[in-house]
Amino acid sequence: MGVVDRLKSIGPGALVAAAFVGPGTVTTASVIGAEYAYLLVWTIAFSILATMVLQEMSARLGLITNEGLGEAFRNEFSNPIARGVTITLVVSAIGIGTAAFQTGNIVGGAAGLATITGVSENVWGPIMGLVAAGLLWTGSYKLIERVFIGLVIVMGLAFVLNAIIVRPDLAALGGGLVPTIPEGSAYLIAGLIGTTVVGYNLFLHASTVQERWDDADDLAACRTDTIAMVAVGGLITTAIVVTAAAVFPEGTQIADVGEMADQLEPVFGGYALTFFAIGLFAAGFTSAMSAPLAGAYATAGALGWERDLTSTRFRAIWLTILGVGIVFSALDYNPVEVIVFAQVANGLLLPILAVFLIYAMNNDDLLGEYTNSPLQNVLGGLVTLVVVGIGLRTLYDVLLL
């Protein structure tokens, strides 16, 4: 398959990119750009490389074994106790994690619509959730994939174009690739990595690649899709940091969506708030669809249920997760608080998933010649060490609250 043909088969990677460029990423990237200018751009570079490493493993596992990540974990252990613990961990952690993210996704996206219309996000949240439910209920993977690709394009146009027009300081931007940790920035670094390297995306990717491709012959196309679309997600995140850094004086603290929208002022003038809000809505809506979908794939796989978009059990899982988001979005909760809670949940869950994934990727009986190479194990190990450190830091911060 040629490069052009591979680009035409782009799909599952778009779901992953759209899932991690959610309200949490938009918020965190804007805050980082405003407070620290380009100094933390290296964090995005690391996050994207880490995401590529883990998502490639997950996609390869799904494509070669024709199993979801939940099924792989379930089948990895023959001991009933170990299997029971694993199933319980996956179902509870992913279910709780996706529900937490779901609330933040819906409320964040609804905040974008509220900014445009003046109608409360507590009204737009349930409406957004019901529209997402309608799209998922169709059971058409192709339709869902096209919606994701379209909304990624919307986000790209809103943020990347602006980053180009504001003419960032390229020398300073390049200097931001050198790792530094300014005083007070550790929490934001952990937050940005936590919103990019998302645990539930591993489950989503392992299953959706099977909707697009058939077997090992498609592995090259699958890798192109993964690398290209995760890179696009990284480009969008970088664009948000760049525009915030170019517009705000260094050290500016952003408190709400209206202030974040100021970064679009150089391009869209009086329409800045509207365009930023559209981008925020797109980020929230795609994530609001991906979280319940990932939760359903993970739970169904771990429990040994059919992973069919039209099956009753599968629909029941994502409806439950989506329902949690709809209910809480109708209540008067601060979007920032919900998003931060979701980030904390992911920070604690991800290290466990990373360890499990690398363990499975070295199983010869499961993957044969497609097990991890020494380099892939080294890269995966390094990523795991970092996310473990972030998880411990997150837990430490929570205990201090």
mmCIF file of all heavy atoms in Angstrom, residues 70-92:
data_model
loop_
_atom_site.group_PDB
_atom_site.id
_atom_site.type_symbol
_atom_site.label_atom_id
_atom_site.label_comp_id
_atom_site.label_asym_id
_atom_site.label_seq_id
_atom_site.Cartn_x
_atom_site.Cartn_y
_atom_site.Cartn_z
ATOM 1 N N GLY A 70 -9.378 -5.108 26.552
ATOM 2 C CA GLY A 70 -10.047 -5.725 27.688
ATOM 3 C C GLY A 70 -10.022 -7.245 27.610
ATOM 4 O O GLY A 70 -9.787 -7.932 28.614
ATOM 5 N N GLU A 71 -10.238 -7.790 26.409
ATOM 6 C CA GLU A 71 -10.187 -9.243 26.222
ATOM 7 C C GLU A 71 -8.781 -9.776 26.446
ATOM 8 O O GLU A 71 -8.595 -10.855 27.025
ATOM 9 C CB GLU A 71 -10.647 -9.595 24.811
ATOM 10 C CG GLU A 71 -12.119 -9.386 24.565
ATOM 11 C CD GLU A 71 -12.458 -9.508 23.089
ATOM 12 O OE1 GLU A 71 -12.004 -8.632 22.326
ATOM 13 O OE2 GLU A 71 -13.151 -10.462 22.710
ATOM 14 N N ALA A 72 -7.798 -9.026 25.966
ATOM 15 C CA ALA A 72 -6.407 -9.462 26.127
ATOM 16 C C ALA A 72 -6.048 -9.558 27.604
ATOM 17 O O ALA A 72 -5.413 -10.523 28.043
ATOM 18 C CB ALA A 72 -5.465 -8.486 25.418
ATOM 19 N N PHE A 73 -6.458 -8.577 28.380
ATOM 20 C CA PHE A 73 -6.189 -8.620 29.812
ATOM 21 C C PHE A 73 -6.929 -9.775 30.471
ATOM 22 O O PHE A 73 -6.401 -10.455 31.343
ATOM 23 C CB PHE A 73 -6.614 -7.299 30.470
ATOM 24 C CG PHE A 73 -5.695 -6.145 30.154
ATOM 25 C CD1 PHE A 73 -6.105 -4.839 30.351
ATOM 26 C CD2 PHE A 73 -4.421 -6.371 29.662
ATOM 27 C CE1 PHE A 73 -5.254 -3.771 30.069
ATOM 28 C CE2 PHE A 73 -3.566 -5.313 29.375
ATOM 29 C CZ PHE A 73 -3.982 -4.022 29.579
ATOM 30 N N ARG A 74 -8.169 -9.997 30.040
ATOM 31 C CA ARG A 74 -8.976 -11.086 30.612
ATOM 32 C C ARG A 74 -8.329 -12.442 30.352
ATOM 33 O O ARG A 74 -8.280 -13.305 31.228
ATOM 34 C CB ARG A 74 -10.378 -11.050 29.989
ATOM 35 C CG ARG A 74 -11.266 -12.224 30.374
ATOM 36 C CD ARG A 74 -12.556 -12.213 29.551
ATOM 37 N NE ARG A 74 -13.374 -13.381 29.831
ATOM 38 C CZ ARG A 74 -14.248 -13.466 30.817
ATOM 39 N NH1 ARG A 74 -14.429 -12.453 31.638
ATOM 40 N NH2 ARG A 74 -14.953 -14.562 31.010
ATOM 41 N N ASN A 75 -7.810 -12.626 29.133
ATOM 42 C CA ASN A 75 -7.255 -13.917 28.734
ATOM 43 C C ASN A 75 -5.799 -14.112 29.154
ATOM 44 O O ASN A 75 -5.243 -15.198 28.994
ATOM 45 C CB ASN A 75 -7.377 -14.091 27.217
ATOM 46 C CG ASN A 75 -8.821 -14.091 26.751
ATOM 47 O OD1 ASN A 75 -9.717 -14.502 27.485
ATOM 48 N ND2 ASN A 75 -9.054 -13.615 25.537
ATOM 49 N N GLU A 76 -5.186 -13.063 29.660
ATOM 50 C CA GLU A 76 -3.767 -13.131 30.010
ATOM 51 C C GLU A 76 -3.539 -13.962 31.266
ATOM 52 O O GLU A 76 -2.445 -14.488 31.476
ATOM 53 C CB GLU A 76 -3.224 -11.708 30.217
ATOM 54 C CG GLU A 76 -1.722 -11.604 30.301
ATOM 55 C CD GLU A 76 -1.023 -11.945 28.991
ATOM 56 O OE1 GLU A 76 -1.600 -11.679 27.905
ATOM 57 O OE2 GLU A 76 0.093 -12.496 29.049
ATOM 58 N N PHE A 77 -4.564 -14.088 32.096
ATOM 59 C CA PHE A 77 -4.400 -14.769 33.376
ATOM 60 C C PHE A 77 -5.298 -16.002 33.446
ATOM 61 O O PHE A 77 -6.499 -15.921 33.222
ATOM 62 C CB PHE A 77 -4.740 -13.815 34.535
ATOM 63 C CG PHE A 77 -3.903 -12.568 34.547
ATOM 64 C CD1 PHE A 77 -4.383 -11.385 33.992
ATOM 65 C CD2 PHE A 77 -2.626 -12.574 35.085
ATOM 66 C CE1 PHE A 77 -3.613 -10.227 33.994
ATOM 67 C CE2 PHE A 77 -1.848 -11.426 35.087
ATOM 68 C CZ PHE A 77 -2.339 -10.255 34.541
ATOM 69 N N SER A 78 -4.694 -17.153 33.758
ATOM 70 C CA SER A 78 -5.460 -18.394 33.893
ATOM 71 C C SER A 78 -5.958 -18.583 35.329
ATOM 72 O O SER A 78 -6.973 -19.230 35.557
ATOM 73 C CB SER A 78 -4.598 -19.599 33.495
ATOM 74 O OG SER A 78 -3.402 -19.647 34.276
ATOM 75 N N ASN A 79 -5.238 -17.999 36.289
ATOM 76 C CA ASN A 79 -5.656 -18.087 37.684
ATOM 77 C C ASN A 79 -6.962 -17.306 37.887
ATOM 78 O O ASN A 79 -7.035 -16.114 37.565
ATOM 79 C CB ASN A 79 -4.557 -17.506 38.586
ATOM 80 C CG ASN A 79 -4.885 -17.646 40.060
ATOM 81 O OD1 ASN A 79 -5.788 -16.984 40.553
ATOM 82 N ND2 ASN A 79 -4.144 -18.501 40.749
ATOM 83 N N PRO A 80 -8.003 -17.966 38.421
ATOM 84 C CA PRO A 80 -9.309 -17.309 38.573
ATOM 85 C C PRO A 80 -9.253 -16.037 39.412
ATOM 86 O O PRO A 80 -9.945 -15.062 39.115
ATOM 87 C CB PRO A 80 -10.162 -18.390 39.255
ATOM 88 C CG PRO A 80 -9.503 -19.680 38.915
ATOM 89 C CD PRO A 80 -8.036 -19.372 38.857
ATOM 90 N N ILE A 81 -8.432 -16.057 40.465
ATOM 91 C CA ILE A 81 -8.342 -14.876 41.324
ATOM 92 C C ILE A 81 -7.692 -13.713 40.579
ATOM 93 O O ILE A 81 -8.186 -12.579 40.605
ATOM 94 C CB ILE A 81 -7.543 -15.207 42.609
ATOM 95 C CG1 ILE A 81 -8.272 -16.268 43.436
ATOM 96 C CG2 ILE A 81 -7.333 -13.935 43.437
ATOM 97 C CD1 ILE A 81 -7.536 -16.705 44.682
ATOM 98 N N ALA A 82 -6.573 -14.009 39.912
ATOM 99 C CA ALA A 82 -5.878 -12.966 39.148
ATOM 100 C C ALA A 82 -6.774 -12.411 38.048
ATOM 101 O O ALA A 82 -6.815 -11.197 37.812
ATOM 102 C CB ALA A 82 -4.596 -13.530 38.540
ATOM 103 N N ARG A 83 -7.508 -13.327 37.377
ATOM 104 C CA ARG A 83 -8.401 -12.883 36.319
ATOM 105 C C ARG A 83 -9.523 -12.011 36.892
ATOM 106 O O ARG A 83 -9.873 -10.978 36.320
ATOM 107 C CB ARG A 83 -8.996 -14.084 35.579
ATOM 108 C CG ARG A 83 -10.049 -13.689 34.550
ATOM 109 C CD ARG A 83 -10.587 -14.887 33.792
ATOM 110 N NE ARG A 83 -9.599 -15.421 32.870
ATOM 111 C CZ ARG A 83 -9.872 -16.377 31.978
ATOM 112 N NH1 ARG A 83 -11.076 -16.908 31.911
ATOM 113 N NH2 ARG A 83 -8.935 -16.809 31.161
ATOM 114 N N GLY A 84 -10.061 -12.420 38.037
ATOM 115 C CA GLY A 84 -11.134 -11.656 38.660
ATOM 116 C C GLY A 84 -10.689 -10.263 39.060
ATOM 117 O O GLY A 84 -11.410 -9.281 38.845
ATOM 118 N N VAL A 85 -9.488 -10.192 39.624
ATOM 119 C CA VAL A 85 -8.946 -8.891 40.022
ATOM 120 C C VAL A 85 -8.742 -8.005 38.801
ATOM 121 O O VAL A 85 -9.066 -6.804 38.811
ATOM 122 C CB VAL A 85 -7.607 -9.067 40.779
ATOM 123 C CG1 VAL A 85 -6.929 -7.712 40.992
ATOM 124 C CG2 VAL A 85 -7.841 -9.744 42.126
ATOM 125 N N THR A 86 -8.210 -8.604 37.720
ATOM 126 C CA THR A 86 -7.953 -7.844 36.491
ATOM 127 C C THR A 86 -9.249 -7.312 35.898
ATOM 128 O O THR A 86 -9.343 -6.130 35.518
ATOM 129 C CB THR A 86 -7.245 -8.729 35.442
ATOM 130 O OG1 THR A 86 -6.019 -9.200 35.994
ATOM 131 C CG2 THR A 86 -6.966 -7.940 34.183
ATOM 132 N N ILE A 87 -10.267 -8.180 35.815
ATOM 133 C CA ILE A 87 -11.549 -7.768 35.252
ATOM 134 C C ILE A 87 -12.168 -6.646 36.088
ATOM 135 O O ILE A 87 -12.650 -5.644 35.559
ATOM 136 C CB ILE A 87 -12.518 -8.971 35.179
ATOM 137 C CG1 ILE A 87 -12.015 -9.986 34.148
ATOM 138 C CG2 ILE A 87 -13.930 -8.501 34.809
ATOM 139 C CD1 ILE A 87 -12.792 -11.280 34.142
ATOM 140 N N THR A 88 -12.117 -6.817 37.408
ATOM 141 C CA THR A 88 -12.674 -5.805 38.305
ATOM 142 C C THR A 88 -11.956 -4.472 38.133
ATOM 143 O O THR A 88 -12.577 -3.401 38.093
ATOM 144 C CB THR A 88 -12.555 -6.255 39.773
ATOM 145 O OG1 THR A 88 -13.253 -7.487 39.940
ATOM 146 C CG2 THR A 88 -13.137 -5.212 40.715
ATOM 147 N N LEU A 89 -10.623 -4.543 38.027
ATOM 148 C CA LEU A 89 -9.821 -3.330 37.857
ATOM 149 C C LEU A 89 -10.185 -2.610 36.574
ATOM 150 O O LEU A 89 -10.422 -1.394 36.566
ATOM 151 C CB LEU A 89 -8.332 -3.686 37.862
ATOM 152 C CG LEU A 89 -7.361 -2.533 37.592
ATOM 153 C CD1 LEU A 89 -7.437 -1.511 38.712
ATOM 154 C CD2 LEU A 89 -5.943 -3.063 37.452
ATOM 155 N N VAL A 90 -10.246 -3.358 35.464
ATOM 156 C CA VAL A 90 -10.536 -2.742 34.170
ATOM 157 C C VAL A 90 -11.934 -2.133 34.158
ATOM 158 O O VAL A 90 -12.123 -0.975 33.770
ATOM 159 C CB VAL A 90 -10.405 -3.783 33.030
ATOM 160 C CG1 VAL A 90 -10.952 -3.204 31.719
ATOM 161 C CG2 VAL A 90 -8.960 -4.198 32.850
ATOM 162 N N VAL A 91 -12.916 -2.910 34.596
ATOM 163 C CA VAL A 91 -14.301 -2.437 34.547
ATOM 164 C C VAL A 91 -14.505 -1.218 35.447
ATOM 165 O O VAL A 91 -15.080 -0.206 35.028
ATOM 166 C CB VAL A 91 -15.273 -3.564 34.951
ATOM 167 C CG1 VAL A 91 -16.697 -3.018 35.076
ATOM 168 C CG2 VAL A 91 -15.239 -4.690 33.921
ATOM 169 N N SER A 92 -14.012 -1.297 36.689
ATOM 170 C CA SER A 92 -14.233 -0.190 37.617
ATOM 171 C C SER A 92 -13.412 1.037 37.251
ATOM 172 O O SER A 92 -13.932 2.156 37.211
ATOM 173 C CB SER A 92 -13.915 -0.625 39.053
ATOM 174 O OG SER A 92 -12.560 -1.033 39.168
#
